[in-house]
Amino acid sequence: MLIWVCALHCEAGPVIDYYRLKKSHEVRAFDVYHGDDMLCIVTGIGKLASAAACAWVAARCEREAALAWINLGVAGAAEHELGTLFVINKIVDAETGQSYYPAPAVTTSLAASACLTLSLPSDEYREDTLFDMEASGFIYSALRFSSAELTQSLKIISDNRRQQTGKNRQRVSELVQAQIESIDRQAAGLLRLKQQVAALEIPADSWQQLLSLAHFSQTQRNRLRVLWRYLGNREFESQALLRQLAAHNTASAIIATLEQISYRDSEEL
Amino acid sequence: MVSCVYIESAVRDHPRASQLLQRLRKLPLVEIDHYGEVFNPRAQNFRLQKQNPAIIIAHKNKGQVLAAPEGYGLGGEHNYYFSHMLNCLYDCRYCFLQGMYQSAHQVLFVNYEDFGEQIRQTAARHAHKPVWFYSGYDCDSLANEPMTRFTEYFIPLVKSIDNAWMELRTKSTQVRSMLKQEPVNNIVTAFSFSDAVSHARLEHGVPSIEKRINAMSRLIDAGWPVGLRFDPVVYHRNYQSAFVDLLEQIFNRIDAQKLHSVSLGSFRLTRDHFRSISRLYPEEPLFAQNMNLDNGIISYPLDREREMIDFCETQLMNHIPAQTYHPCEWHG
Ligand code: SF4
């Protein structure tokens, strides 16, 4: 699942339209929009809101094999042109001084920048960093559920010393909309990485079928998981394996059979 | 492909850092306080990161020279290791670095003079006795040579210390900078080889066996002491014929009488490293083989290991003088 995290509806709108995400009517804590392998959550302003929303949505996605995140929003900068899109490579929380580093795992031609997350709005422009109000809360929370390679922040300049978009929501949406193709390319790269991670996991249905064959202790489950992940990733057909295992009715016999298959298979390297 | 450069603010003006930044000037640059901020956090995926690692330019504050682990080395009495960089350009699936570090980024330390000072002090503590300094424990000694210019500093340094010996351990072909220098008797370049099957399946990004034999041969011709390391030997169905072929390939080109040392050891990892790496690569046959846990180390069952080592030793002895052979002793 790829999760878009936006503070405001006007930031999320172009993403929701582009991917044709549908509003979820079951939940009330945050506005959430769903699509295939993707959702967008509108968190409200501030790092605490962003952190809370990430934790809340991650808990609802706990059955997903892997989560990837994009925090998309607008930011201020001293000199950069309005509408410029940046991938963030360093996030500093202004209050705590804590730094975070989204890992640069997606190959990109986008400009990169640091971003300072402030607790209160400010019009004090700094030369060497963008500034926003969410990124540090977002990454603090998202890194509990995903690795730094799957946790990205994209910021579009909405204010600089000369021009301010301020609370003009329509204009914010236009700035995001103008970059939607670049944003989509970044998202596609991230989705590919996420799929690499997810593909290594055991499909929930075959795992449940396997567990139903016998009673496994926790240690046996751990061993079973290693063997099943290996064979699944070597493209052994799970239903054929399950049929073969059905003849054995003890956990140790099932594990011994899977071990023999793995040992034989791995001798070729 | 390198994705970006992190640099500790304190080394921005260091001459070696400036050289590196010049080479890497087209990449995004991120300033950090300490390399551990980027290198150590837990929420990193080594496997994903390895696809586009970053370079971290840093200062090593302490512990530049450390005592080598028990059993590491060529049987000398005083063994130390040092790492001018952490992690590697190559991607060998059996490499313990994947389990040791959270991050696949390459850390390049620039304060060589501090390493040099510790090497001098350590050698002085064992005056008149040979002291071995192993490079290439946390990295490949030469693979990043065009960037690190490691040999330019460390070869003259070790040459100037009477009782110091240094091993450079490598799978690279980067010998050009050494060939520009006079050979030094107490500096051994040890080339690691696996058979062609293991090389093709497990040593991603490593130069071909042929190219490495070429590099070895050029160093020998120039008068440099050179060693051979067959470690780790990995089990597969055809390991015997593949090992025999590898030896043929090497000794067709290399005069065994000119070798400084040869060592051999079978695949092994600490339990923790094995667990972390096999979690990263659940589809990897190497980790699905029949293994045993012995004293915190995961390795082949004793009878298989014995059979592999006996076979490989016997084959080796058909080529090399017995006194150059040093088995890797790791069973307690
Ligand atoms: S060359 Fe050595 S250090 Fe580099 S990945 Fe291979 S085993 Fe590890």
Side-chain angles (χ1 to χ4, degrees):
Chain A
M1 179 72 77
L2 170 62
I3 302 173
W4 297 88
V5 179
C6 300
L8 301 168
H9 279 96
C10 55
E11 293 166 324
V15 169
I16 293 166
D17 293 345
Y18 188 84
Y19 296 108
R20 300 184 181 182
L21 306 183
K22 298 273 175 299
K23 182 154 193 201
S24 166
H25 295 288
E26 301 151 30
V27 295
R28 296 193 176 263
F30 295 94
D31 281 348
V32 176
Y33 299 81
H34 281 277
D36 284 346
D37 204 21
M38 186 181 284
L39 66 78
C40 176
I41 182 163
V42 181
T43 65
I45 292 174
K47 62 182 184 181
L48 285 181
S50 192
C54 291
W56 179 84
V57 78
R60 295 180 68 89
C61 294
E62 71 175 352
R63 291 178 66 90
E64 293 290 330
L67 299 180
W69 305 80
I70 296 180
N71 164 227
L72 176 67
V74 291
E79 299 299 339
H80 296 300
E81 289 301 318
L82 261 53
T84 316
L85 172 64
F86 286 92
V87 57
I88 301 303
N89 54 20
K90 175 176 183 175
I91 296 167
V92 182
D93 185 284
E95 203 177 351
T96 63
Q98 181 73 43
S99 300
Y100 306 88
Y101 301 90
V106 176
T107 317
T108 180
S109 55
L110 293 180
S113 174
C115 181
L116 180 72
T117 298
L118 305 169
S119 300
L120 294 169
S122 164
D123 52 11
E124 190 190 317
Y125 293 95
R126 295 152 181 87
E127 296 302 330
D128 51 353
T129 182
L130 314 187
F131 59 94
D132 83 335
M133 293 182 66
E134 286 82 29
S136 70
F138 156 76
I139 198 161
Y140 172 85
S141 189
L143 284 179
R144 315 239 148 196
F145 308 101
S146 300
S147 69
E149 299 73 31
L150 297 180
T151 308
Q152 302 287 310
S153 181
L154 299 178
K155 296 288 165 184
I156 297 163
I157 305 304
S158 62
D159 299 272
N160 61 26
R161 275 204 189 101
R162 300 177 310 278
Q163 291 167 283
Q164 285 89 40
T165 305
K167 296 204 169 93
N168 183 341
R169 292 176 179 215
Q170 165 85 24
R171 182 73 187 123
V172 167
S173 280
E174 286 166 7
L175 292 173
V176 177
Q177 179 61 44
Q179 290 289 1
I180 199 72
E181 299 289 339
S182 301
I183 292 168
D184 174 55
R185 277 196 292 282
Q186 194 70 14
L190 196 60
L191 265 170
R192 276 195 295 278
L193 287 186
K194 193 260 334 172
Q195 274 149 5
Q196 285 178 32
V197 176
L200 297 173
E201 294 306 321
I202 299 175
D205 48 350
S206 78
W207 179 241
Q208 287 312 323
Q209 284 175 280
L210 183 61
L211 289 183
S212 70
L213 295 179
H215 174 75
F216 296 91
S217 68
Q218 192 53 50
T219 312
Q220 287 172 324
R221 274 179 190 231
N222 295 343
R223 181 69 184 133
L224 196 63
R225 190 181 292 281
V226 169
L227 292 163
W228 202 243
R229 271 180 101 192
Y230 173 70
L231 294 170
N233 279 295
R234 297 287 288 176
E235 290 173 5
F236 278 79
E237 217 270 297
S238 63
Q239 290 309 316
L241 281 175
L242 286 164
R243 279 195 297 279
Q244 190 178 342
L245 295 173
H248 307 284
N249 53 10
T250 67
S252 49
I254 288 171
I255 287 173
T257 305
L258 291 175
E259 279 179 340
Q260 288 316 313
I261 299 171
S262 297
Y263 295 161
R264 263 202 310 279
D265 180 69
S266 59
E267 282 198 351
E268 293 281 6
L269 268 194
Chain B
M1 198 169 78
V2 175
S3 55
C4 83
V5 180
Y6 296 98
I7 185 164
E8 289 182 353
S9 309
V11 300
R12 264 207 93 133
D13 297 326
H14 191 288
R16 265 183 217 103
S18 305
Q19 272 174 9
L20 287 166
L21 288 179
Q22 179 60 22
R23 278 186 77 98
L24 302 164
R25 62 189 177 279
K26 296 211 172 111
L27 295 169
L29 183 66
V30 186
E31 270 203 34
I32 55 177
D33 288 333
H34 184 265
Y35 74 90
E37 285 175 82
V38 178
F39 197 64
N40 293 340
R42 280 173 57 99
Q44 304 194 71
N45 182 314
F46 194 103
R47 180 175 179 158
L48 294 184
Q49 228 170 65
K50 192 78 190 177
Q51 298 173 20
N52 283 306
I55 301 273
I56 305 176
I57 304 172
H59 181 277
K60 176 97 174 145
N61 288 327
K62 56 179 182 191
Q64 288 93 345
V65 174
L66 297 167
E70 195 74 24
Y72 192 83
L74 298 169
E77 201 183 336
H78 304 294
N79 300 304
Y80 295 87
Y81 74 96
F82 68 101
S83 302
H84 68 294
M85 63 175 286
L86 309 178
N87 271 329
C88 185
L89 213 60
Y90 308 138
D91 189 15
C92 302
R93 196 54 64 244
Y94 50 71
C95 181
F96 78 103
L97 297 176
Q98 307 163 103
M100 182 142 103
Y101 298 130
Q102 298 294 327
S103 167
H105 298 332
Q106 293 156 30
V107 183
L108 311 184
F109 295 117
V110 291
N111 53 324
Y112 288 179
E113 290 70 17
D114 296 331
F115 285 81
E117 190 48 38
Q118 283 214 7
I119 288 174
R120 275 186 198 290
Q121 286 174 10
T122 308
R125 277 209 305 278
H126 308 287
H128 311 303
K129 293 203 173 140
V131 184
W132 275 91
F133 295 95
Y134 292 92
S135 152
Y137 183 74
D138 293 317
C139 61
D140 182 291
S141 300
L142 298 178
N144 264 16
E145 184 61 12
M147 254 208 279
T148 61
R149 300 162 85 165
F150 166 82
T151 59
E152 230 172 68
Y153 178 82
F154 285 94
I155 287 179
L157 171 89
V158 172
K159 185 180 176 182
S160 72
I161 307 171
D162 282 344
N163 62 331
W165 288 73
M166 177 163 74
E167 182 194 82
L168 310 177
R169 177 87 57 112
T170 192
K171 283 198 185 78
S172 87
T173 55
Q174 295 287 354
V175 294
R176 199 177 308 160
S177 60
M178 293 185 73
L179 291 172
K180 285 190 197 143
Q181 304 187 46
E182 284 298 306
V184 182
N185 276 339
N186 54 345
I187 296 178
V188 179
T189 309
F191 287 82
S192 308
F193 287 94
S194 304
D195 67 55
V197 175
S198 303
H199 172 66
R201 305 270 163 81
L202 302 172
E203 295 179 338
H204 308 292
V206 172
S208 71
I209 295 174
E210 200 52 44
K211 284 190 176 145
R212 284 181 284 146
I213 296 173
N214 270 339
M216 239 181 116
S217 149
R218 290 169 70 201
L219 277 187
I220 293 175
D221 289 348
W224 285 90
V226 161
L228 271 175
R229 305 290 175 260
F230 300 102
D231 186 14
V233 178
V234 169
Y235 178 81
H236 57 86
R237 201 168 282 155
N238 300 315
Y239 84 90
Q240 295 192 343
S241 59
F243 192 72
V244 169
D245 291 348
L246 174 66
L247 295 185
E248 285 293 316
Q249 199 179 351
I250 293 173
F251 292 110
N252 271 339
R253 292 284 311 279
I254 302 294
D255 178 355
Q257 302 300 325
K258 292 194 174 152
L259 289 175
H260 170 272
S261 51
V262 180
S263 64
L264 174 79
S266 60
F267 171 69
R268 63 210 176 272
L269 282 171
T270 65
R271 176 173 49 183
D272 290 348
H273 292 161
F274 186 95
R275 274 197 188 151
S276 316
I277 304 171
S278 56
R279 245 179 241 146
L280 283 175
Y281 296 94
E283 79 282 29
E284 175 57 60
L286 176 64
F287 308 121
Q289 294 187 333
N290 189 7
M291 299 275 172
N292 259 6
L293 175 64
D294 175 14
N295 224 351
I297 304 287
I298 293 200
S299 61
Y300 296 118
L302 215 51
D303 49 349
R304 173 166 287 177
E305 185 193 296
R306 212 45 273 161
E307 174 207 295
M308 290 168 68
I309 294 297
D310 287 349
F311 176 83
C312 296
E313 270 179 2
T314 309
Q315 297 306 315
L316 251 183
M317 290 309 158
N318 292 333
H319 295 274
I320 62 165
Q323 69 273 14
T324 53
Y325 179 58
H326 301 267
C328 299
E329 303 287 5
W330 62 270
H331 288 287

